[in-house]
Every structure is written in structure tokens, then in C-alpha cells.
Amino acid sequence: MTRGRPPAFTRQQVVDAAIAIADGEGLGAVTFRRLAGEVGAGVMSLYTYVSDKERLIGLMVDTVSSEANWPADLLGLASAQRDLMHRHPWLPSALPNRRLTGTHMLTYLEQGLAALATTGLTGPAKLEIIALLTGFVANYVTNEHTQAGAAAVTAAEQVQLITAAVATGAFPHLGAALSEPGESSSFEALATRLINGLIGAGEPMVERGEPTQQPTDAHSISTSSRGDCRATRLRVATRNHAPLRAP
């Protein structure tokens, strides 16, 4: 019986090449034609290893997830996910509405469920919380990447525009919200508030620190640290949180 030639490379090598492309140029640069050139194969031969791009992205997500050490607490999971997304900036755009099927992502899900084991919530409710937390992290990191690439003057202009609008008196609720003492808007503080809010009644899952008092004047914030505080809160308030799909 004649044996065919052995494969020139493995499926994992194809996935690793796709990750390298995405890390350097973004997820949009990952095409089968580009990938074929990187691994030295014909385009059609890649379908022997990966059926389509969605399957390829799923394998990419699971492969990079193997880099994380997933702790069994929600804040730790969120922090580990944030670190992973900074190492692979394409990951936030790959996660929303993606079903978790790979072993490493299922480990993340298992650890999240373990952290929620004592809450008394139903299984579907626990899965929803984990999905919403992942969506929050993905959008927070996306915002961090956007802010890192934006000119500082852009944020200052945003503050000035909104300050002028609030000063007209047409947005009293917005003015009141921005003039009140603010709590910390760090990643850890926001994630803690989100987790405790999602859990609902009972003891908080994460202990909250004392609020950072940052009083702001609704009519005078354009040139001081108050402006920085408000700019941060405005960015936080306008983030979207797209969930990821659990199995």
C-alpha cells in the first residue's frame, strides 16, 4: 500500500504563524493567502489543517490562553485576562460572541465558576457574569490601546467641549454626576465594582478600598487635575461592554 507524503507542518505551526501575524499587524492581516506565504504552503492545502478562519481564530484564542495562570477568583481572572490582552492586542476583538471550546479557555471558565460556587446563583447566571466580566476587560483594554495612540490634546478638547455643554445648564444630571466626589477609576476599582454589582445582594465578592476623593467643579476643570479626573470618568462612562458567549 502506497503511503502519502507526511504533512510538511502541523496544525499548531499554522496557528502559531497566524498568532505571529496578528500580534504584529492585527487580526485583519490574518488571511489564508498571507498564512500560506508565511508557512510556505499552497492556500488550499491550509484547509487540510483548519476548516475556516473562524476555526483558526478559535484555535488562536485557545493557544494564547495557555500563557495565562487562571486563578480561582474573579478579580484575579480579570487581571490575568487584561495582561493577556496587552500581550496580544488582537484578542479583545476576537473574543466577543465567541463560544469557548478550547481546553485552555474552558479552564478559564472553570475557574470563574469555582469563584462563584458559593454565591447561590444559578448556572446560567454564573455563566452570564463571567461573559460580562470578559466583555468589560476586552473593552477596557481596547480603550487603553486607543488612549495610548491618541494625542493628549484630544482628551483635553473632549473635556473642554463637555464642560462648555454642562455650563449651559442643559445637562443638569451630567453636571451633577461629574461634580460629585469621584471614586478610583483604576482597572481594579472598576472591575471590583462591576463584580460586586453583578453578584448582587450579600457579602461582596471583592473587598473595596476606601474611595479616592477627587472633587470636581462642574464649571472649571479644563486645566487642572480635576480635568484629568473628569476625562477619565467620561471615558469610563462611554465604554461599551460586549459579552463573550459561554457554551
Side-chain angles (χ1 to χ4, degrees):
M1 181 176 178
T2 304
R3 291 178 178 272
R5 289 188 301 175
F9 40 82
T10 66
R11 183 170 70 173
Q12 190 58 54
Q13 288 175 315
V14 173
V15 173
D16 290 342
I19 291 170
I21 294 170
D23 283 348
E25 303 174 43
L27 198 59
V30 180
T31 65
F32 272 54
R33 183 174 298 279
R34 173 66 186 281
L35 195 53
E38 290 293 325
V39 300
V43 175
M44 297 308 296
S45 69
L46 291 183
Y47 291 95
T48 304
Y49 301 88
V50 186
S51 58
D52 54 41
K53 187 172 180 178
E54 281 303 300
R55 174 59 175 156
L56 174 63
I57 294 174
L59 292 169
M60 292 166 64
V61 169
D62 195 60
T63 294
V64 298
S65 296
S66 68
E67 300 171 14
N69 179 22
W70 302 119
D73 72 273
L74 294 186
L75 185 57
L77 281 173
S79 296
Q81 218 174 32
R82 181 190 181 201
D83 292 342
L84 188 64
M85 290 180 189
H86 276 299
R87 290 199 298 274
H88 303 283
W90 53 270
L91 195 53
S93 64
L95 280 175
N97 298 314
R98 182 168 301 282
R99 290 193 178 277
L100 305 181
T101 55
T103 301
H104 301 294
M105 284 305 293
L106 289 178
T107 299
Y108 161 79
L109 190 61
E110 178 68 16
Q111 292 293 82
L113 291 170
L116 292 166
T118 61
T119 61
L121 295 169
T122 64
K126 293 174 184 175
L127 292 173
E128 288 172 0
I129 288 172
I130 295 169
L132 288 168
L133 185 60
T134 297
F136 161 76
V137 177
N139 281 278
Y140 190 97
V141 172
T142 297
N143 184 71
E144 287 184 302
H145 291 161
T146 300
Q147 293 302 319
V153 67
T154 302
E157 288 174 352
Q158 181 189 31
V159 172
Q160 291 173 356
L161 288 170
I162 295 179
T163 300
V166 168
T168 67
F171 307 96
H173 294 291
L174 178 59
L178 294 177
S179 64
E180 291 178 0
E183 295 185 80
S184 171
S185 59
S186 68
F187 174 80
E188 291 76 13
L190 290 173
T192 295
R193 291 201 289 274
L194 175 65
I195 292 166
N196 290 339
L198 290 172
I199 299 302
E203 291 297 318
M205 289 290 292
V206 181
E207 292 298 326
R208 299 176 60 179
E210 290 299 318
T212 301
Q213 297 298 316
Q214 296 173 311
T216 58
D217 179 345
H219 302 289
S220 178
I221 61 171
S222 60
T223 60
S224 68
S225 60
R226 293 173 178 175
D228 295 335
C229 173
R230 177 171 291 185
T232 299
R233 276 190 272 163
L234 288 171
R235 289 196 297 271
V236 169
T238 55
R239 291 188 186 112
N240 293 315
H241 305 307
L244 138 106
R245 296 168 67 192

